[in-house]
Amino acid sequence: MQQDESKRVFRNHPSVIVSYLLTAAIVMIVLVFLSLREYAWDNKFETIIIVALVMLATLGWAYFFWKRTFYVFEDSEIHVTRDAIYKMDKHIQYTRLASVGVKRDLVNRIFGTSTLIFNVNSSMNAASAEATLVLKKQMADRLRDQLNSMIFEKQVTVEQELVECHTLVRVSNADIVLHAILGQPTWQALFGLLMLFYAVVMLFAESSGGFLTAIVLFGIGEVLPFISVILKYYNYRIYRVGDTVTVESGLITSQRRSFKVNKINSVRIREPLLARLFHKAMLEAEVVGMADEDNNNAPVLCPLKGRKDVEDVLNRLLPELVFESAPERQPRRALVPMLITDAIATVFIVGVCLALFFTAETYLVGESETLTLAVRATELFAAVVVPILIFGRSGMAQRHRTFDTGKDSFMFVYGGYDICTEFINYDKVQFTRVTSGPLQRPFGLAQCTVNMMSSVGFKEITSGLFEPDDLERVADEVNARIADGRYDYRRYL
């Protein structure tokens, strides 16, 4: 609710109080029916009184904080004030904003409101917004248009964007379902299969506790992320207006986030193993101040599509970062130190696993044939499949690892089962480190580790094994751009 339009002072829409009450109600329901079920059933009146008191306390707390929280939009900053139990005085400079997003969840849709999300250029709070403001939808769109014109120099309104700006890639809702299934990292898929196998074993062993534990872990590791991804990326659109990229998506809760191209530190084409089998890939970016909790904190610029489609989106969306590459492949002699490392890791991992499983089997003799069979199957898996997976990863890495340098960025292709092709802006590199260990040095090989800011925290990207002089070109180019003036910090403000 706007208090004084001339001073541009706003207060959250009262529907935020309803959101607080819904959250409290869900917590109470879970607590009563899962933790205090027997007590609640035997003491219905006392339970009702306790729940009513908690809800009334929540209502009073929410109203008190809502009444005393104000958002003042000044000429150069957003000033958030709260004079409640403790006093808050927060100043958010417009120049520090990474994006002004819009989110509409179920409560927003019921009350006709929108939530403005303010993310700053900082990795410290990228997973959560620096501030949020709930307003009626028309007012929120008008305020966002005004902020976009100041921050991103966008003269196009939200309504015009919806009509005039066409998405750079057509993503069907069937593509989103495939993205949820095939786009997950290989380790996550293996964990889900392992929990499913464990649940089946516990079911045949008539162990209800073990079965429920496996089902819960399977639901947390596979089912919930699957549902969350579909709900989040449904109705996906991405477009670019001038130097501003806008991403829209969402089924129940819709989101619209915009950010400047110069805030992108790197962009990667990620190909999980399952997706690569179907010649599909996805496009991600590292944008400081913008995190995606459903995708390891890397904002998605294109959900799972054909590899050629993703490359086309990248070339049209970010021509500043990509270049025509003639990549240098990892030398064949790099296989020798990799295989030696794999052999050492295999002996250690398989030895520990077999020792644990053999010990477990001695305790299960005569207890349960199903559990004994499951442990022996796991022993076979540890003895045969684990070495295959370890050595297979090196074989995949040797096949795909490449390296190349361009005018404004350089490219690393890295990974084993999940392959990443990453274009990194020279100007966003904080420092590089070229190392050659005792196994790599005799073969004249080294690795380059690049450190930069990511969407959340610091990020290290490590290349494959190449000749040290070739890898040193990255650091040489970074320093040369600083020395001759091609690097200008003002371009990234």
Side-chain angles (χ1 to χ4, degrees), residues 188-200:
Q188 185 177 337
L190 288 176
F191 176 79
L193 290 175
L194 181 62
M195 289 301 101
L196 191 60
F197 169 76
Y198 181 62
V200 172

Side-chain angles (χ1 to χ4, degrees), residues 433-449:
R433 183 174 66 253
V434 177
T435 56
S436 182
L439 293 178
Q440 295 88 22
R441 198 178 305 119
F443 298 93
L445 299 171
Q447 285 181 311
C448 179
T449 301

Side-chain angles (χ1 to χ4, degrees), residues 34-47:
L34 295 184
S35 301
L36 304 174
R37 182 170 48 191
E38 294 183 1
Y39 175 84
W41 183 258
D42 296 334
N43 303 274
K44 298 185 183 67
F45 181 74
E46 290 86 347
T47 301

Side-chain angles (χ1 to χ4, degrees), residues 118-131:
F118 303 99
N119 290 94
V120 302
N121 293 315
S122 169
S123 62
M124 299 302 295
N125 66 333
S128 60
E130 185 71 17

